[in-house]
């Protein structure tokens, strides 16, 4: 397909990555956001998202004139051949996806869309959203398609430009082919389906990953009870090609901006068609239990009570490589620690010292965290923490307990520094 004129509404992780990457593929792209401050920052080449390669694509796109930013969505869409909706779909009060942003946007701009435009749902939306958007548009001359994103924070640009698959869903096959043509320069399988199937794909993928993570954390708990080593168990299991090694690492629970809300939305969708989905419900419940297990494990290592204990936290973001705190299991564990009476100080490479996050005081220096703490908990697998001078950390720390919820730290290194490193699912003698 030749170069197309595309409007992307929303400049969050999905929208900004989508816009910048589509521009890099040779299309003409206008990104729209209601946040004027953010638009001014982007026009100046300042990208507020920590995402490798994204800032370079934004600068490159603007330099070539293929990427623009504006707050005037009504004007921008008048020339659009494709309109990508990259809007937030947060968890609603009932656990389902809140489509207010999508629906209000469609209602506002529907009369401005040119004849023949294709509206593309890029955000993760419930099954039936394409039908819902079609009804809100009330424009037989404007088509609707679903094109779910599969972008991981920290590798979003790579995931977009080198995807393992591209899914496009439309109830009119020709519309699906038009959207698929936007990706003709990418060498990846393009799967064109009906709209409902495409909408379901993203939920199924995320819920399966969540299930895998909950299963691994349960296995880690089992390993501790049998005095087995979870790292060795999962290394052997992951060599089975039917299972694979991806997502076979225990941790403090899964989180982020997608998995928690998508799991709840999937449960809600299942209820609407009379399916209880007990496996997914157990997946979500086990994730809550994992956070509680982490706190219980720390309390046991600390002597039973955390009341008044000064605990240092290493890492706050939901995973390394991103500055995103949304749905972070680190913050969920921190909340439980506070409920047990602990006093918290934290360090994260992407959170500036002096900031307060959910009542936690943040400092820039991990050694300062150790100096103020009686025990440490590693919650995010930033490589910087593995490379710390643990002899120096031990001199500052007011105790010997280190709980490594990511099994990232070298037990022998910490042991030689006089510290006792407790992992997740590791043998007691370790």
């Amino acid at each position: 397909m030749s170069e197309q004129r595309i409007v992307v509404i929303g400049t969050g992780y999905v929208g900004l990555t989508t816009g910048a990457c589509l521009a890099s593929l040779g299309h003409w792209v206008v990104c729209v956001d209601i946040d004027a401050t953010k638009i001014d920052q982007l026009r100046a080449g300042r990208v507020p998202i920590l995402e490798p390669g994204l800032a370079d694509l934004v600068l490159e796109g603007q330099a070539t004139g293929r990427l623009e930013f504006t707050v005037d969505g009504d004007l921008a869409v008048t020339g659009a051949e494709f309109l990508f909706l990259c809007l937030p779909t947060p968890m609603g009060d009932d656990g389902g996806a809140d489509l207010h942003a999508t629906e209000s946007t469609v209602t506002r701009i529907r009369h401005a869309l040119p004849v023949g435009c294709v509206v593309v749902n890029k955000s993760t939306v419930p099954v039936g959203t394409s039908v819902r958007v079609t009804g809100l548009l009330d424009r037989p001359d404007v088509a609707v398609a679903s094109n779910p994103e599969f972008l991981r924070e920290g590798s979003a640009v790579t995931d977009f430009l080198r995807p393992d698959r591209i899914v496009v869903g439309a109830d009119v096959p020709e519309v699906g082919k038009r959207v698929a043509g936007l990706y003709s320069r990418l060498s990846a399988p393009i799967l064109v389906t009906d709209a409902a199937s495409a909408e379901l794909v993203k939920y199924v993928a995320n819920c399966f990953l969540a299930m895998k993570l909950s299963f691994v954390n349960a296995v880690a708990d089992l390993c501790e009870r049998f005095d087995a080593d979870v790292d060795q168990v999962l290394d052997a299991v992951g060599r089975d090609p039917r299972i694979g090694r991806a997502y076979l690492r225990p941790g403090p629970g899964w989180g982020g901006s997608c998995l928690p809300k998508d799991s709840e939305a999937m449960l809600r969708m299942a209820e609407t068609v009379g399916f209880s989905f007990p496996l997914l419900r157990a997946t979500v419940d086990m994730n809550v239990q994992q956070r509680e297990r982490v706190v219980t494990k720390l309390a046991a290592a600390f002597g039973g009570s955390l009341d008044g204990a000064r605990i240092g936290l290493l890492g706050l973001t939901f995973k390394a490589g991103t500055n995103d705190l949304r749905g972070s299991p680190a913050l969920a564990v921190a909340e439980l620690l506070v409920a047990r009476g602990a006093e918290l100080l934290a360090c994260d490479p992407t959170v500036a010292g002096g900031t307060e996050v959910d009542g936690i005081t943040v400092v820039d220096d991990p050694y300062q965290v150790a100096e103020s703490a009686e025990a440490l908990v590693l919650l995010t697998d930033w490589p910087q923490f593995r490379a710390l001078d643990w002899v120096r950390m031990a001199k500052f720390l007011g105790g010997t307990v280190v709980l490594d919820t990511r099994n990232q730290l070298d037990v022998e290194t910490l042991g030689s520094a006089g510290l006792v490193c407790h992992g997740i699912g590791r043998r007691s003698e370790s």
Side-chain angles (χ1 to χ4, degrees):
M1 179 178 282
S2 59
E3 301 166 358
Q4 303 293 305
R5 295 196 174 274
I6 301 169
V7 172
V8 176
I9 298 187
T11 60
Y13 277 92
V14 174
L16 186 57
T17 302
T18 296
C21 288
L22 285 172
S24 76
L25 295 178
H27 302 298
W28 301 93
V29 181
V30 178
C31 289
V32 179
D33 202 292
I34 60 174
D35 187 336
T37 300
K38 181 189 286 188
I39 291 299
D40 288 341
Q41 289 178 335
L42 292 170
R43 284 173 173 168
R46 298 194 302 274
V47 176
I49 300 169
L50 179 61
E51 196 61 58
L54 184 55
D56 291 338
L57 283 185
V58 168
L59 290 171
E60 177 187 314
Q62 291 188 99
T64 61
R66 292 186 177 276
L67 181 62
E68 300 176 34
F69 297 97
T70 184
V71 295
D72 194 343
D74 292 345
L75 178 61
V77 300
T78 58
E81 295 171 272
F82 295 87
L83 173 66
F84 277 73
L85 299 176
C86 301
L87 296 161
T89 56
M91 190 188 306
D93 294 336
D94 65 350
D98 182 350
L99 296 178
H100 175 74
T102 296
E103 293 177 348
S104 61
T105 298
V106 169
T107 301
R108 189 183 71 252
I109 53 88
R110 65 190 186 93
H111 293 301
L113 295 172
V115 173
C117 179
V118 178
V119 175
V120 183
N121 283 316
K122 192 69 174 171
S123 304
T124 304
V125 293
V127 176
T129 300
S130 289
V131 174
R132 173 67 175 156
V133 170
T134 298
L136 289 172
L137 285 169
D138 194 22
R139 289 279 305 272
D141 56 335
V142 173
V144 178
S146 176
N147 176 213
E149 52 86 14
F150 302 100
L151 308 178
R152 297 166 298 170
E153 292 185 33
S155 60
V157 171
T158 299
D159 290 342
F160 192 103
L161 297 177
R162 290 197 286 276
D164 47 26
R165 83 284 202 196
I166 297 167
V167 177
V168 179
D171 293 330
V172 178
E174 288 305 314
V175 172
K177 291 178 182 177
R178 281 185 63 191
V179 177
L182 297 173
Y183 302 97
S184 60
R185 297 187 182 183
L186 300 180
S187 56
I190 299 180
L191 311 176
V192 179
T193 72
D194 60 274
S197 296
E199 289 165 344
L200 194 56
V201 164
K202 180 60 183 296
Y203 283 106
V204 171
N206 275 355
C207 290
F208 185 84
L209 293 176
M211 181 182 66
K212 199 171 181 181
L213 290 167
S214 282
F215 180 80
V216 165
N217 284 332
V219 168
D221 190 22
L222 195 63
C223 284
E224 290 183 10
R225 295 168 188 261
F226 282 125
D227 200 25
D229 187 277
V230 70
D231 295 333
Q232 295 182 30
V233 170
L234 295 178
D235 178 55
V237 170
R239 293 173 188 269
D240 186 328
R242 297 170 300 174
I243 298 173
R245 296 189 177 191
Y247 284 76
L248 288 188
R249 290 182 59 194
W254 43 268
S257 62
C258 293
L259 264 59
K261 75 176 182 66
D262 291 351
S263 298
E264 291 292 345
M266 182 71 136
L267 286 169
R268 179 71 185 121
M269 283 191 293
E271 288 175 2
T272 64
V273 291
F275 183 60
S276 62
F277 217 148
L279 181 59
L280 182 55
R281 172 49 65 192
T283 294
V284 174
D285 291 344
M286 290 175 69
N287 191 47
V288 174
Q289 294 168 16
Q290 180 65 8
R291 298 162 181 172
E292 294 169 347
R293 279 197 292 264
V294 167
V295 174
T296 299
K297 188 177 181 69
L298 177 63
F302 204 73
S305 174
L306 294 172
D307 190 27
R310 299 189 310 277
I311 308 297
L313 308 181
L314 298 178
L316 293 174
T317 56
F318 87 95
K319 69 173 186 177
T322 176
N323 58 353
D324 197 351
L325 295 168
R326 293 176 296 172
S328 173
L331 295 182
V333 169
E335 183 179 357
L336 293 174
L337 289 171
V338 170
R340 293 240 192 155
E343 301 173 10
L344 305 180
L345 192 70
C347 177
D348 187 284
T350 67
V351 183
T355 306
E356 264 212 9
V357 179
D358 290 356
I360 307 165
T361 301
V362 181
V363 297
D364 290 319
D365 189 347
Y367 298 101
Q368 187 179 345
V369 171
E371 189 174 14
S372 303
E374 299 168 82
L376 294 174
V377 184
L378 187 146
L379 291 166
T380 310
D381 52 342
W382 289 101
Q384 295 94 316
F385 296 143
R386 184 179 176 87
L388 289 171
D389 181 344
W390 283 97
V391 172
R392 182 183 175 194
M393 290 287 282
K395 290 178 180 178
F396 286 128
L397 192 61
T400 61
V401 173
V402 177
L403 176 56
D404 177 9
T405 70
R406 300 283 185 170
N407 289 357
Q408 172 175 298
L409 304 176
D410 184 78
V411 176
E412 292 184 2
T413 298
L414 269 68
S416 64
L419 300 173
V420 181
C421 183
H422 301 265
I424 301 295
R426 285 177 167 170
R427 299 187 67 196
S428 56
E429 65 186 41
S430 298

